[in-house]
Amino acid sequence: ASEHGAPAKPAAPEKPAVPDKPAAAEKQVMPGKPAKPDKDSLDKVSFGTNWVAEAEHGGFFQAVADGTYKNFGLDVAIVPGGPNVNNRALLIAGKLDFFMSANTLQSFDAVANNVPVVAVAAIFQKDPQVLLAHPESKVAKLTDLKPLTLFVSKEGVASYFQWLKSEYGFSEAKVKPYTFNAQPFLVDQQSAMQGYVTSEPFVIEKQAKFKPTVVLLADYGFDGYSTLIETRRDLTDKKPDLVQRFVDASMIGWYNYLYGDNAAGNAMIKMLNPEMSDDMLAYSVAKMKEFGIVDSGDALRDGIGAMSDARYASFFDKMSRAGAVRRDLDFRKAYTLRFANKGIGLNLRPRN
Amino acid sequence: MADSAASFDLGAPPAGYAVRLRGVTKAYPNGTTALGPFDLDVRSGEFVSLLGPSGCGKSTALRLIAGLSAPSSGGVLVSSQAPRRRGEHSIGFVFQEPTLMPWTSVRGNVSLPLRLARASRADTEARVSEALAGVDLLDFADAFPRELSGGMRMRVSLARALVTEPDILLMDEPFAALDEITRFRLNDDLLALWRKLRKTIIFVTHSVFESVYLSQRVIVMTPRPGRTGAEFRIEALEPRGADFRTSADYAAQCREVSLALARTSEPVRA
Amino acid sequence: MADSAASFDLGAPPAGYAVRLRGVTKAYPNGTTALGPFDLDVRSGEFVSLLGPSGCGKSTALRLIAGLSAPSSGGVLVSSQAPRRRGEHSIGFVFQEPTLMPWTSVRGNVSLPLRLARASRADTEARVSEALAGVDLLDFADAFPRELSGGMRMRVSLARALVTEPDILLMDEPFAALDEITRFRLNDDLLALWRKLRKTIIFVTHSVFESVYLSQRVIVMTPRPGRTGAEFRIEALEPRGADFRTSADYAAQCREVSLALARTSEPVRA
Amino acid sequence: MSGLNAPRLPSDETGARGGARLLRLLLPIVVLAAGVTVWDLAVRLNQIPPYVLPGPGLVLRTLIADWPVLSASLVTTLWTTLEGFLAAALGGIALALLFNQSKWLEYSLFPYAVVLQVTPVIAVAPLLLIYLPQETAVIVCAWIVAFFPVLANTTLGLNSVDRNLAGLFQLYGASPMQTLVRLKLPAALPYILGGLRIAGGLSLIGAVVAEIAAGSAGAGSGLAYRIAESSYRLNIPRMFAALLLLSAAGIVIYVLLALASHLLLRRWHESALGKDN
Amino acid sequence: MSGLNAPRLPSDETGARGGARLLRLLLPIVVLAAGVTVWDLAVRLNQIPPYVLPGPGLVLRTLIADWPVLSASLVTTLWTTLEGFLAAALGGIALALLFNQSKWLEYSLFPYAVVLQVTPVIAVAPLLLIYLPQETAVIVCAWIVAFFPVLANTTLGLNSVDRNLAGLFQLYGASPMQTLVRLKLPAALPYILGGLRIAGGLSLIGAVVAEIAAGSAGAGSGLAYRIAESSYRLNIPRMFAALLLLSAAGIVIYVLLALASHLLLRRWHESALGKDN
Ligand SMILES: Nc1ncnc2c1ncn2[C@@H]1O[C@H](COP(=O)(O)OP(=O)(O)OP(=O)(O)O)[C@@H](O)[C@H]1O
Ligand SMILES: Nc1ncnc2c1ncn2[C@@H]1O[C@H](COP(=O)(O)OP(=O)(O)OP(=O)(O)O)[C@@H](O)[C@H]1O
Ligand SMILES: [Mg+2]
Ligand SMILES: [Mg+2]
């Protein structure tokens, strides 16, 4: 699977591409300039992820590893998350500059609680949230999961499960806590558990030796973005240029990670998370491509990270119907389109 | 030691004897030998006093007889007159310290032996009250041990030992903390009880007067490790009373015992 | 009660007096009145004995004098000869129970007062050894309290009280757990010490003999709540010794005190 | 400490004691007020936004506004706590008694108790969920968190029984049961109660952990879920309101246990005696 | 219990004691072997797949195979544990001493201690991370989990000081410091050590929780992360190997503390005395 979709040689593997439309910033160190910017002149930026290093964060690591950020005048430190690590609180408190938020609902919550953070780009056009079931339970579509015991994490209950409830009539009585441990699911054939399309199916296939049925919620109308870049509003107001550079460089990182030589990014992931295996990484990348998690829909036109008012409105509508957010919420404050949709790096996508 | 000990399995208790110690020694784990080879025969119904310098092993000897501690060598044999059924306590013990249960009242402490023997409630009630009256503590039946004076605590302990009328009564300086008036009265009470029931009593005291007044036999022990230093048979008219206490005979015997005590105590004094 | 107490602020201690109690009562929280209105004057350098039936409030009185407990009414005044500097202990106390620190050796226990006063190491060493020799426990200097017999523990407590030579020495039945030989010897030692240093000593005992032998004044207390029942001045030749113990005078005084004790104790006996 | 500063002259004891009692009630309240004020000032002066650290006023308002949701969660958590506490108390004491029967039992089984103590509940909860019904699994989790202090303190208490008293029971031919009920348990009581005071708070924590690891989610779920959910949903004032409830519950549990302890020991144990007793 | 079944005739004490000692060593091993066998059989007979519950053999093999990774994590966790334990021991004892200075202090501040005890670390960790450096935050988390038993037991111990001894110190004009060092601390020692034995395991748990809540993930991280990660990756044998290490560490910590306790108390306290002392 690792060969799947192997790209043609990337445009400029060792010298990342110049953005099509450089965000005309005064102090910006132009990429490609022979004089490498020395460390001191770089803007220090920290970026917290929401899980341990994995392929789902690949583009960011790629941008660090291959020097893309540096070329944009950034010295980026990635702070991995993990179970129970709350990097978002650190973003809010000003300890981090950017945070990788899991889904769009979190952005709505920020508005609801007057937390001045905004989403500036959406890496995943489709939420990779899936529900896994045993083949024996003969699940073919989402509603077939209703009679099963569902292992859902606390966060899941607070987010997508509300949508499952309102849209498809799932019952909380069937839910048992999922603490990122698949054992109870494996033992009970009449159960299903949550996961990411890019990892859990692989883990289960590998360890438990069966191919679970996978139901991608996005296919059933759960149309929120996922893996968004979030930052504080004061940063977008005071240092828009910095934000823009971070967004742009990250997008380039993502193109390179998906279509270019991602060895450097993977090496960095493996360094931070020695448990990560090559086949796992390859599987994740393959699935991201296969399901168009990152590069599909608007992103095909506007570049990776694309966001649109229409998508936000549609998702808000669903979540407010689910009762997960207040109907009168000014959801447009949750994001800004100022930095995305610039088509950065489109040229790096192999044309086929 | 183990070898020599094995030969001391004394077999059946000799008829008429309540306690027999043969070549008993006791060495504590820290190396102190508390009791030198000590021999003791106490007939059933006999009243024996142990006298001896502080730290000579009197308390240790009582603990060995009660079976609360095992001898390092030698044999200890205790026979009780009554068949040993559960709750038929054959041994009563008045420790040198009051050893009361701090969590229950005086009444609770004194009734303990009866409760353990599952005596009827009414019976317990009556006997406890009697025992408390005997030590003049009826008023304090509901007091807790910490609310008592030192002497009162010792009297509670005494009442507890007497409430079951055990076959063998081991008493470790039971009256040391009491004023003379109370002490004399309790002396007489104890004598009366003994005369009535003829239980075996082994009585540790530091008062030569008391030992002579109470017992049939006085054993004076040597300094640690304690052995028999001298032995006196007190052949006094019965019943003893105020008359005996003021008799010349009594004074003479006290003097004799005192002398023996002084004599055996000498080595330590050096 | 508080009102009447207020009037008992005795002001400056009268010259020559070490302890003055005026109308002191003590009622414990459970309602027991331990000490009836009790008056006591002890001159500096006087040796006073307290005698009385068990539970009459002797220990309570000592605790009040030491300031370990507050009177319910009445005034307690204690003056020490030496200026009260930190570590200059003016009061030594031998409790009725040994009250040793179980976590340290005999030497550690006895040296406590000196350590607290930050005496020099050499000085401490010497004085502790002397005090231990005085109670015949040098061999057990390194033993822990639980490894001692009851009498030995009491002797450690005694050594601890004597090691600092306090101005006022309060002793609660210090010799009750000791054999006669040791007791007599310690009696003489205590007398010799008192004669040499003329400290104030208030001595609780149950032994009429002892009280008469040791003290200048014997106070016989009534049963609870304790008051002064009778008082005897013992005018004996000095130094007292074996001669005094066998003198007719001594016997007569003992008899008198005994009678007073019996007389004051009567109400309880009813 | 007892009488360390006892006045030499009689004091108006009842009056002074009444005053002291009042002060003892007032002082914690004053300190609480001070704490709340400091919290409030810290938030105001540093202009800490409510989504980082909400001020006490906001938390209180949230508590009142969200009371229906929060109180339901509180009740759920308190039930789990109670069940966990009872299990911990009974289990801890029972285990200690078992171990007390023989050193061998103790030496062979104590390691398993230690293993239970140090095993992260999060790690074993899935296994428990597989083999036990959910309700039971939750209680077992709470029990695992809270039982050890009871076990350890009871063991210590049982080992500290006065040996002369034990000898007395032996002499009087007490049955093991009698020795247990009349000697060992009362003698160990101060230690056991000490263990229970520790276990009280731990069972609350245990209930929270158990809810996270094995509890039901969504409606009818406890404070743990509320806290996690509020935190995830960035409803920080509500999270603090839930934490406040948890703290209050902890204090109430502690006070109740301390009170029970005081009532049980006040007549005889040094630790519960007044100054002049 | 002391001498409850003391034989009436002299026993070959050294011999018997030697035998008993051997048995005391052997029995736990036998019980351990039995436990492992039951585990093995349960897995085999029920054909439980290794990703649900691996057998002991597999866990052992995994332990050996993954030793480099696991041992590094173990060291990390043990360091946190040690720091947390020291903080808990010192903090708990210091707080207890502070509270012991006056009932008022105790009454006003103890509630805060209870609040700390019952606050879920997971909930406060983000706050700590905001205001403290990560290393410190981790230790504070571990401390929060473990300090309370030390505090509670030390308080109990300090309140149980013999009042006559306290009076003696007062009479001899002991300074507060001298009273503390020479009276209160030694008298409370058995209780303090009891608290520390509880805190030992708790600081291990605390380290795990702290790692989860505030620790860094990824390389160089402790057993907690290994457990969570192995569990997430369904590498259940490795998860069990990590749990095994955790358990072993817990037992070692307990044994060390029990040993220290025994050495400190063996000459004087009932709980550490042999039968015939
Ligand atoms: N647990 C123990 N460990 C070590 N030595 C002990 C122990 N108990 C007593 N001893 C020692 O044994 C000796 C005898 O002690 P025992 O208590 O029998 O004396 P005693 O005759 O009762 O003295 P007393 O009249 O003072 O009560 C003493 O020298 C004492 O030091
Ligand atoms: N802590 C207490 N609480 C309540 N009552 C007490 C307390 N301590 C002593 N008492 C009571 O006070 C009275 C006097 O006690 P105290 O100890 O002073 O007597 P004593 O004269 O020393 O007796 P003894 O000769 O037996 O030692 C006793 O009746 C006792 O019951
Ligand atoms: Mg003795
Ligand atoms: Mg007294």
Side-chain angles (χ1 to χ4, degrees):
Chain A
S2 64
E3 248 58 59
H4 176 88
K9 200 158 172 25
E14 60 281 338
K15 228 188 265 176
V18 180
D20 286 354
K21 281 190 270 172
E26 307 82 354
K27 290 188 297 179
Q28 187 181 326
V29 185
M30 287 304 292
K33 265 193 179 170
K36 279 245 166 188
D38 62 307
K39 265 227 168 242
D40 297 337
S41 67
L42 297 177
D43 292 312
K44 278 203 184 323
V45 164
S46 52
F47 175 57
T49 68
N50 60 5
W51 196 253
V52 297
E54 55 183 359
E56 286 88 331
H57 313 160
F60 300 105
F61 288 111
Q62 180 72 24
V64 174
D66 69 10
T68 305
Y69 283 130
K70 201 174 278 174
N71 291 334
F72 279 77
L74 299 172
D75 175 14
V76 175
I78 298 187
V79 180
N84 290 307
V85 173
N86 196 340
N87 274 339
R88 198 167 189 221
L90 297 185
L91 167 76
I92 292 166
K95 295 259 155 173
L96 294 175
D97 300 314
F98 296 95
F99 171 68
M100 195 175 90
S101 94
N103 62 50
T104 309
L105 184 65
Q106 284 196 304
S107 307
F108 294 158
D109 289 331
V111 178
N113 291 287
N114 294 316
V115 182
V117 294
V118 281
V120 293
I123 307 300
F124 286 5
Q125 297 297 312
K126 286 187 188 175
D127 197 316
Q129 196 74 55
V130 292
L131 288 172
L132 310 175
H134 288 262
E136 289 81 357
S137 57
K138 306 255 183 287
V139 169
K141 56 185 186 303
L142 185 61
T143 43
D144 293 345
L145 291 164
K146 272 185 2 186
L148 305 184
T149 300
L150 292 179
F151 290 100
V152 180
S153 70
K154 300 186 300 287
E155 294 80 6
V157 172
S159 57
Y160 71 83
F161 190 77
Q162 299 304 318
W163 169 80
L164 283 177
K165 231 168 56 169
S166 71
E167 217 80 349
Y168 292 96
F170 277 73
S171 158
E172 256 155 1
K174 286 278 166 197
V175 173
K176 282 194 181 184
Y178 174 63
T179 50
F180 301 96
N181 178 311
Q183 288 156 293
F185 162 70
L186 292 176
V187 170
D188 183 1
Q189 295 198 338
Q190 291 305 307
S191 71
M193 90 173 191
Q194 75 172 42
Y196 260 27
V197 68
T198 44
S199 54
E200 271 82 356
F202 177 78
V203 169
I204 287 174
E205 219 178 306
K206 192 134 194 230
Q207 300 291 335
K209 314 274 188 264
F210 72 89
K211 224 175 157 57
T213 316
V214 172
V215 177
L216 184 67
L217 297 187
D219 291 345
Y220 290 84
F222 190 67
D223 59 358
Y225 295 116
S226 175
T227 309
L228 301 105
I229 298 176
E230 200 175 57
T231 187
R232 286 184 307 282
R233 197 172 285 284
D234 65 341
L235 209 63
T236 61
D237 292 345
K238 298 203 185 100
K239 295 187 180 166
D241 149 62
L242 183 84
V243 176
Q244 187 68 61
R245 276 185 283 147
F246 182 73
V247 170
D248 290 351
S250 301
M251 297 317 127
I252 290 168
W254 269 103
Y255 277 112
N256 284 331
Y257 186 72
L258 286 180
Y259 304 116
D261 175 8
N262 59 15
N266 282 344
M268 190 171 173
I269 291 173
K270 283 193 287 186
M271 188 190 77
L272 284 168
N273 180 5
E275 298 314 305
M276 192 50 76
S277 59
D278 287 324
D279 47 356
M280 176 85 224
L281 287 169
Y283 178 89
S284 297
V285 173
K287 287 295 162 184
M288 282 192 275
K289 288 183 187 160
E290 179 186 334
F291 286 91
I293 297 294
V294 177
D295 203 5
S296 63
D298 297 342
L300 296 176
R301 186 186 67 239
D302 299 331
I304 291 180
M307 303 192 292
S308 75
D309 288 325
R311 275 284 292 279
Y312 267 105
S314 152
F315 186 65
F316 175 75
D317 190 44
K318 285 178 176 140
M319 291 320 280
S320 60
R321 242 184 295 139
V325 286
R326 284 202 328 270
R327 210 157 253 302
D328 57 353
L329 193 77
D330 183 7
F331 69 91
R332 285 174 201 286
K333 277 159 80 180
Y335 62 94
T336 170
L337 301 180
R338 243 171 103 189
F339 305 99
N341 305 336
K342 298 209 166 27
I344 302 282
L346 274 173
N347 56 331
L348 296 173
R349 182 191 301 128
R351 296 170 210 288
N352 50 0
Chain B
M1 277 200 190
D3 287 4
S4 70
S7 62
F8 272 106
D9 198 339
L10 305 176
Y17 279 87
V19 173
R20 165 162 289 182
L21 270 62
R22 278 287 176 277
V24 168
T25 67
K26 174 73 192 180
Y28 283 101
N30 69 349
T32 313
T33 303
L35 209 60
F38 184 57
D39 295 302
L40 180 70
D41 278 308
V42 181
R43 270 177 293 110
S44 293
E46 200 181 7
F47 196 136
V48 175
S49 287
L50 293 185
L51 272 170
S54 171
C56 76
K58 302 179 295 296
S59 303
T60 303
L62 290 196
R63 291 182 62 84
L64 290 174
I65 293 171
L68 295 181
S69 143
S72 304
S73 71
V76 176
L77 209 84
V78 176
S79 82
S80 61
Q81 296 159 333
R84 276 218 200 197
R85 276 184 287 124
R86 285 238 334 83
E88 274 294 277
H89 329 306
S90 53
I91 298 188
F93 204 133
V94 180
F95 290 95
Q96 194 167 1
E97 288 86 40
T99 316
L100 303 179
M101 300 180 288
W103 53 83
T104 179
S105 65
V106 165
R107 188 183 293 283
N109 270 285
V110 174
S111 63
L112 175 75
L114 300 171
R115 293 255 182 108
L116 291 180
R118 303 187 199 286
S120 76
R121 182 176 286 271
D123 190 33
T124 303
E125 191 80 1
R127 283 164 75 182
V128 167
S129 295
E130 195 189 338
L132 283 179
V135 294
D136 210 12
L137 280 176
L138 258 187
D139 290 351
F140 284 86
D142 296 321
F144 275 53
R146 62 165 188 89
E147 298 168 343
L148 302 180
S149 78
M152 290 158 89
R153 274 179 223 162
M154 215 48 221
R155 285 186 273 156
V156 176
S157 167
L158 205 64
R160 180 179 58 192
L162 295 175
V163 78
T164 46
E165 303 180 347
D167 291 343
I168 301 177
L169 198 50
L170 308 175
M171 306 175 89
D172 200 349
E173 305 186 33
F175 304 138
L178 300 178
D179 62 290
E180 284 188 357
I181 312 296
T182 312
R183 188 168 189 157
F184 286 169
R185 194 175 56 78
L186 288 177
N187 276 349
D188 288 335
D189 290 356
L190 184 64
L191 263 187
L193 188 84
W194 174 71
R195 232 175 267 126
K196 199 174 85 196
L197 302 172
R198 288 288 163 176
K199 303 293 187 181
T200 311
I201 300 182
I202 304 181
F203 189 93
V204 171
T205 181
H206 282 313
S207 165
V208 172
F209 299 112
E210 194 170 66
S211 71
V212 172
Y213 183 67
L214 292 174
S215 48
Q216 299 180 290
R217 198 148 52 101
V218 176
I219 293 168
V220 177
M221 291 173 73
T222 65
R224 177 175 39 84
R227 304 158 193 238
T228 308
E231 212 176 311
F232 299 90
R233 194 157 292 276
I234 315 293
E235 315 275 13
L237 57 162
E238 286 280 356
R240 303 170 183 184
D243 287 351
F244 177 53
R245 227 191 254 286
T246 49
S247 72
D249 200 22
Y250 174 70
Q253 293 210 325
C254 286
R255 205 164 316 118
E256 240 186 289
V257 173
S258 274
L259 280 176
L261 189 64
R263 220 182 315 115
T264 57
S265 293
E266 245 154 47
V268 181
R269 205 78 323 124
Chain C
M1 277 200 192
D3 286 6
S4 70
S7 63
F8 273 106
D9 198 338
L10 305 177
Y17 279 85
V19 173
R20 166 162 288 183
L21 270 62
R22 279 288 176 276
V24 168
T25 66
K26 174 73 191 180
Y28 284 100
N30 69 348
T32 313
T33 303
L35 208 60
F38 185 58
D39 296 302
L40 180 70
D41 278 309
V42 181
R43 271 177 293 111
S44 293
E46 201 182 9
F47 195 135
V48 176
S49 287
L50 293 185
L51 271 171
S54 171
C56 76
K58 303 179 294 297
S59 303
T60 302
L62 290 196
R63 291 183 63 85
L64 289 174
I65 293 170
L68 295 181
S69 143
S72 303
S73 71
V76 176
L77 209 85
V78 177
S79 81
S80 63
Q81 295 159 333
R84 276 215 198 199
R85 275 185 288 121
R86 282 236 337 80
E88 275 292 276
H89 329 305
S90 51
I91 299 189
F93 204 131
V94 180
F95 290 94
Q96 196 168 0
E97 287 85 39
T99 315
L100 303 179
M101 299 181 289
W103 53 82
T104 178
S105 65
V106 166
R107 187 183 295 281
N109 270 285
V110 174
S111 63
L112 175 76
L114 299 172
R115 293 256 183 106
L116 291 180
R118 303 187 199 287
S120 77
R121 183 177 284 273
D123 189 33
T124 304
E125 190 80 0
R127 284 164 75 182
V128 167
S129 294
E130 194 190 336
L132 283 178
V135 296
D136 210 12
L137 280 176
L138 259 186
D139 291 352
F140 284 86
D142 296 321
F144 274 53
R146 60 166 191 88
E147 299 168 342
L148 303 180
S149 77
M152 291 158 88
R153 274 179 222 163
M154 215 47 221
R155 283 187 273 155
V156 175
S157 166
L158 207 63
R160 180 180 57 191
L162 296 176
V163 79
T164 46
E165 304 181 346
D167 292 342
I168 302 178
L169 198 50
L170 308 175
M171 306 177 88
D172 201 349
E173 305 186 33
F175 305 138
L178 299 178
D179 62 290
E180 284 188 359
I181 311 298
T182 311
R183 188 169 190 158
F184 286 168
R185 193 176 57 78
L186 287 177
N187 276 348
D188 289 334
D189 290 355
L190 184 64
L191 263 186
L193 189 82
W194 175 72
R195 233 174 267 128
K196 198 173 85 195
L197 304 172
R198 288 287 163 177
K199 303 293 187 182
T200 312
I201 300 182
I202 304 181
F203 189 91
V204 172
T205 180
H206 282 312
S207 165
V208 172
F209 299 113
E210 194 170 66
S211 69
V212 173
Y213 183 67
L214 290 175
S215 47
Q216 301 180 288
R217 198 146 54 100
V218 176
I219 293 169
V220 178
M221 291 172 73
T222 64
R224 178 173 40 83
R227 304 158 195 236
T228 308
E231 213 177 309
F232 299 89
R233 193 157 291 280
I234 314 292
E235 317 274 15
L237 57 162
E238 284 280 357
R240 301 171 184 185
D243 287 351
F244 178 53
R245 228 191 254 286
T246 50
S247 72
D249 201 21
Y250 174 70
Q253 292 209 324
C254 287
R255 205 163 314 118
E256 242 186 288
V257 173
S258 273
L259 280 176
L261 190 63
R263 221 180 316 114
T264 59
S265 293
E266 245 155 49
V268 183
R269 205 79 320 122
Chain D
M1 276 313 315
S2 66
L4 270 187
N5 299 303
R8 306 299 299 276
L9 281 170
S11 52
D12 183 353
E13 293 205 352
T14 39
R17 219 181 275 157
R21 182 165 292 178
L22 197 69
L23 205 65
R24 280 183 191 181
L25 260 176
L26 271 179
L27 210 75
I29 294 174
V30 170
V31 172
L32 181 69
V36 170
T37 310
V38 167
W39 172 10
D40 195 48
L41 283 180
V43 170
R44 272 177 213 279
L45 295 183
N46 298 315
Q47 297 194 308
I48 301 178
Y51 45 82
V52 171
L53 179 63
L58 179 56
V59 172
L60 206 68
R61 282 196 300 281
T62 313
L63 183 62
I64 294 165
D66 294 355
W67 182 247
V69 181
L70 289 175
S71 63
S73 295
L74 179 65
V75 169
T76 307
T77 300
L78 285 183
W79 264 115
T80 313
T81 305
L82 186 69
E83 291 167 330
F85 177 75
L86 289 180
L90 295 179
I93 295 174
L95 272 179
L97 291 175
L98 187 72
F99 294 170
N100 187 250
Q101 290 312 300
S102 93
K103 279 270 167 238
W104 297 349
L105 262 179
E106 180 173 348
Y107 283 5
S108 343
L109 297 183
F110 214 101
Y112 288 93
V114 176
V115 167
L116 273 180
Q117 190 205 10
V118 302
T119 303
V121 167
I122 294 288
V124 290
L127 270 188
L128 292 177
L129 276 178
I130 293 173
Y131 295 110
L132 295 174
Q134 191 176 26
E135 317 266 281
T136 320
V138 170
I139 295 172
V140 170
C141 285
W143 177 78
I144 287 180
V145 173
F147 86 101
F148 195 81
V150 183
L151 167 63
N153 265 25
T154 307
T155 301
L156 179 60
L158 292 174
N159 286 337
S160 302
V161 172
D162 180 274
R163 61 180 56 204
N164 276 340
L165 269 179
L168 200 75
F169 272 72
Q170 182 193 342
L171 278 179
Y172 286 133
S175 68
M177 196 59 196
Q178 286 177 322
T179 308
L180 183 66
V181 172
R182 296 191 180 274
L183 175 65
K184 290 183 178 180
L185 284 183
L189 195 61
Y191 294 82
I192 296 177
L193 289 168
L196 290 183
R197 283 201 295 278
I198 301 172
L202 277 188
S203 15
L204 194 58
I205 279 287
V208 167
V209 173
E211 275 172 13
I212 291 178
S216 53
S221 55
L223 282 179
Y225 174 73
R226 283 301 151 227
I227 290 171
E229 188 227 28
S230 313
S231 150
Y232 177 73
R233 304 291 305 269
L234 274 182
N235 194 342
I236 305 300
R238 183 193 278 194
M239 178 180 113
F240 271 83
L243 281 175
L244 196 71
L245 274 185
L246 208 59
S247 298
I251 291 175
V252 168
I253 290 172
Y254 186 85
V255 167
L256 287 180
L257 286 171
L259 203 70
S261 179
H262 180 78
L263 290 178
L264 282 169
L265 300 181
R266 111 201 106 110
R267 285 213 68 181
W268 66 275
H269 195 257
E270 190 66 49
S271 66
L273 286 178
K275 214 170 89 147
D276 211 14
N277 267 290
Chain E
M1 278 315 315
S2 67
L4 269 186
N5 299 303
R8 306 297 301 274
L9 281 168
S11 52
D12 183 352
E13 293 204 354
T14 39
R17 220 182 271 159
R21 183 165 290 179
L22 196 69
L23 205 64
R24 282 183 189 180
L25 261 176
L26 271 179
L27 210 75
I29 294 173
V30 170
V31 173
L32 180 69
V36 170
T37 311
V38 168
W39 172 11
D40 195 47
L41 284 179
V43 170
R44 273 177 212 276
L45 296 183
N46 298 315
Q47 298 195 309
I48 301 176
Y51 51 79
V52 172
L53 179 64
L58 178 55
V59 171
L60 206 67
R61 282 196 302 279
T62 313
L63 183 63
I64 294 164
D66 294 356
W67 183 246
V69 180
L70 289 175
S71 61
S73 295
L74 179 65
V75 169
T76 307
T77 301
L78 284 183
W79 265 115
T80 313
T81 305
L82 187 67
E83 290 167 329
F85 177 75
L86 289 181
L90 295 179
I93 295 174
L95 272 180
L97 291 176
L98 187 72
F99 294 170
N100 188 250
Q101 290 312 299
S102 94
K103 278 270 165 240
W104 298 350
L105 262 179
E106 180 174 349
Y107 283 9
S108 345
L109 297 183
F110 214 101
Y112 289 92
V114 175
V115 167
L116 273 181
Q117 190 205 12
V118 302
T119 304
V121 168
I122 295 289
V124 289
L127 266 189
L128 291 177
L129 279 176
I130 291 173
Y131 296 109
L132 296 174
Q134 189 180 29
E135 315 266 282
T136 319
V138 170
I139 295 172
V140 170
C141 285
W143 177 78
I144 287 180
V145 173
F147 87 102
F148 195 80
V150 183
L151 167 63
N153 265 25
T154 306
T155 301
L156 178 61
L158 292 174
N159 285 337
S160 303
V161 172
D162 181 274
R163 60 179 57 203
N164 277 340
L165 269 180
L168 200 74
F169 273 71
Q170 182 193 340
L171 279 179
Y172 286 134
S175 68
M177 196 59 197
Q178 286 177 323
T179 309
L180 182 68
V181 172
R182 294 191 180 275
L183 174 66
K184 292 181 177 182
L185 284 183
L189 195 60
Y191 293 83
I192 297 177
L193 290 168
L196 290 183
R197 283 201 295 277
I198 300 172
L202 276 188
S203 18
L204 194 56
I205 279 287
V208 167
V209 173
E211 274 173 13
I212 290 177
S216 52
S221 53
L223 282 180
Y225 173 73
R226 283 301 148 225
I227 290 171
E229 191 248 10
S230 317
S231 138
Y232 179 66
R233 309 283 315 276
L234 265 184
N235 193 343
I236 305 300
R238 181 191 279 192
M239 176 179 115
F240 271 82
L243 281 175
L244 196 70
L245 274 184
L246 209 58
S247 299
I251 291 174
V252 168
I253 289 172
Y254 186 85
V255 167
L256 287 180
L257 286 172
L259 203 70
S261 179
H262 180 77
L263 290 178
L264 281 169
L265 300 182
R266 111 202 106 110
R267 284 211 69 180
W268 66 277
H269 196 257
E270 190 66 50
S271 65
L273 286 177
K275 214 169 86 146
D276 211 13
N277 266 290

